[in-house]
Each structure stands twice: as structure tokens, then as C-alpha cells.
Amino acid sequence: MRATDGETEPERTGGEVRVERDIRTVEDVLRLLDGLFAPDADRWTAGAADWWDGFYGDRDRPVPFFVAEPDENLVSYVARGLVPPGRALDLGCGPGRNALHLAGLGFAVDAVDLSPAALAWAGDRARAAGAAVRFHHGDAFALTAPDGPLAGPYDLVYDSGCFHHLPPHRRISYLALLDRVLAPGGHFGLTCFAAGEMGSELPDAAFYRRSRLEGGLAYTPEALRGIFAGLTEVELRRMRDEPPESGRFGERFLWTALFRRPGGTGGGGA
């Protein structure tokens, strides 16, 4: 057995050896890159569900987005008629605050999260509010597969705080997800860490050298426009601070963005 660059070659038994050569598809490469991150080093790869379960386990923890209030930008999109009611998918829904808001406005809502604890909390909130939301536990990339339960199409895909926890290579999967499930003319809404305010500003390659996501990736407007260049920008701005009595969630350390997929009429229909 010979060591090479910190790795070891497999043991030979009876002259036979299994050489690992398993890369055949893009997804194989993405999974290999997932494995470069320590299981407890970030909040998306292996071990993420356990991390988030611990995070959501204390419902009284003073976390800004634990409030039962929707994002101020999401409230604004619907109030201004930018996003009409239709089918909606809430990615990384957490305790369900945005999913419940959309359901209350007449959207048919699917909401997905990795954390059973978050979904249990969201379910409690939905029952208390009498809101009809379909909650799903698991990996959004797998659940939105062509034969998955979240295959779409959706008139709105909304992500409040999930995207900035993805390793850089999973942006490929994320864009493929939007391509699969977002209806022509449909809208994609996003909130994510703003560079200079919250999150790591390291270049993408640095995260692989460190095997960590450093708590989340910060983005600039230019970076978001480049990543989602296949969509039409409707609005991109800093989230507005909201006072406790407003009934809306708002923190200026986040960008808010609304994009529209070309085609269709932009309308809904549950």
C-alpha cells in the first residue's frame, strides 16, 4: 500500500484490487465535490439536517427569522401585483412563515426543508392558522426531479435564506432546479446575504481549500445578476428594516431579488 498526497492506495487481496473510478456524470462530480466538505462544516451537505434540527430545537431562541412574519419584500411583490396568486414552492421553508403567508393569499403552496424540527414547527403554525400548506421533508434537488413530488410547474419559486448556504458547485443544481420547475412567465424570489453586511466574501475556490462554507456565502448584485442571467430582473434591492409592530420581517443584511422567467403571461392559476 503506497501513500500518495495523503491518500492511500487500496489493499490488494489475492492479486485483486478495487480501483475507485465512479465518475460518469455531472451529478457524480457534484457529489464528489460535496464530499470535500466536512460533514459538520456547513449547513447543506451531510449532517446538515442534524445541524438545523439543533438550531430549530429551541423555538424561543432570539433568532430574527424565527418570528411568524413574512419577508417584507414578498408581501410587497404580491401587494403591488408583481406576483399574482398561483402555485408556489418555498425552498428551505424553515418554520413556514412565508409559506403560510402565501397560502393565506390564495396560493397553492408546497414547502420543503431538510430539517424535521423546522417542519414540525411549520406544521404547528399551519394548524394554528388553518392554512393549507403541503410540507415536504428532504433534499429539494431530489424532490424536484422530473418524477419527484415537486416536479412543478410553479408560478412562484421563493427562497428566503437557502441559496447562500449552498456550496458554489451546487449553483449548477440550483439553476437546473429552476429550469425544471419554474413555469414560463413565472417568478423566482430570493433573499440572501449581502456582501459587506453578512456572510463570507472569500472567492469560491477558497471554500474547497478550507472544506467549510464559513457560515454562508455573501453576494453582490452583480454576482446575482450573473448567476441568474437567464431570467429577467424585476427588482433587486436591499431588504428594508422592519419595526417589530409592522407584521413583516426585514433585515438590511440581506439582498432581495425578484426575477421572471421569459415566456408565458406571468400570471398564475392554482
Side-chain angles (χ1 to χ4, degrees):
M1 185 165 59
R2 178 170 56 87
T4 55
D5 298 328
E7 298 289 343
T8 58
E9 291 188 352
E11 297 282 355
R12 295 179 180 272
T13 305
E16 295 184 357
V17 64
R18 181 184 183 278
V19 178
E20 186 176 302
R21 299 287 183 266
D22 299 329
I23 303 298
R24 296 182 59 252
T25 68
V26 171
E27 185 60 29
D28 290 336
V29 175
L30 298 178
R31 288 174 181 162
L32 176 111
L33 293 173
D34 289 343
L36 297 181
F37 293 89
D40 59 349
D42 67 86
R43 300 173 188 178
W44 180 79
T45 57
D50 290 342
W51 192 96
W52 286 112
D53 271 351
F55 183 78
Y56 287 114
D58 180 4
R59 299 184 182 184
D60 295 322
R61 183 182 302 198
V63 175
F65 58 85
F66 276 13
V67 296
E69 298 170 351
D71 290 343
E72 61 85 7
N73 55 296
L74 180 61
V75 174
S76 174
Y77 298 154
V78 181
R80 287 184 286 155
L82 297 178
V83 178
R87 290 193 70 205
L89 174 61
D90 186 359
L91 297 172
C93 66
R97 56 193 181 82
N98 290 308
L100 268 64
H101 177 71
L102 290 170
L105 294 174
F107 285 80
V109 184
D110 285 303
V112 59
D113 203 281
L114 280 172
S115 167
L119 292 174
W121 192 357
D124 289 345
R125 284 179 168 177
R127 284 186 288 274
V133 177
R134 293 179 292 270
F135 292 106
H136 304 264
H137 172 241
D139 176 357
F141 297 144
L143 294 174
T144 57
D147 58 349
L150 306 179
Y154 290 98
D155 303 296
L156 171 66
V157 175
Y158 192 70
D159 175 348
S160 183
C162 179
F163 178 72
H164 56 225
H165 288 305
L166 295 180
H169 62 277
R170 280 297 174 180
R171 293 182 204 130
I172 298 170
S173 305
Y174 197 94
L175 291 171
L177 181 158
L178 292 177
D179 189 58
R180 285 194 303 273
V181 306
L182 187 59
H187 289 87
F188 165 59
L190 175 72
T191 73
C192 67
F193 289 155
E197 295 285 346
M198 182 72 74
S200 174
E201 299 175 24
L202 290 170
D204 283 348
F207 298 110
Y208 297 92
R209 290 192 291 268
R210 296 184 179 210
S211 298
R212 301 185 66 85
L213 295 183
E214 306 296 339
L217 283 62
Y219 287 89
T220 63
E222 294 73 23
L224 294 175
R225 290 180 176 119
I227 292 166
F228 299 109
L231 303 175
T232 301
E233 180 183 331
V234 178
E235 180 177 281
L236 201 165
R237 62 169 172 81
R238 192 69 65 88
M239 181 176 266
R240 299 188 179 98
D241 279 323
E242 290 289 335
E245 66 275 11
S246 75
R248 299 179 295 272
F249 170 82
E251 294 283 353
R252 281 191 57 80
F253 61 75
L254 297 167
W255 290 117
T256 72
L258 182 66
F259 296 93
R260 182 177 180 272
R261 184 171 188 174
T265 63

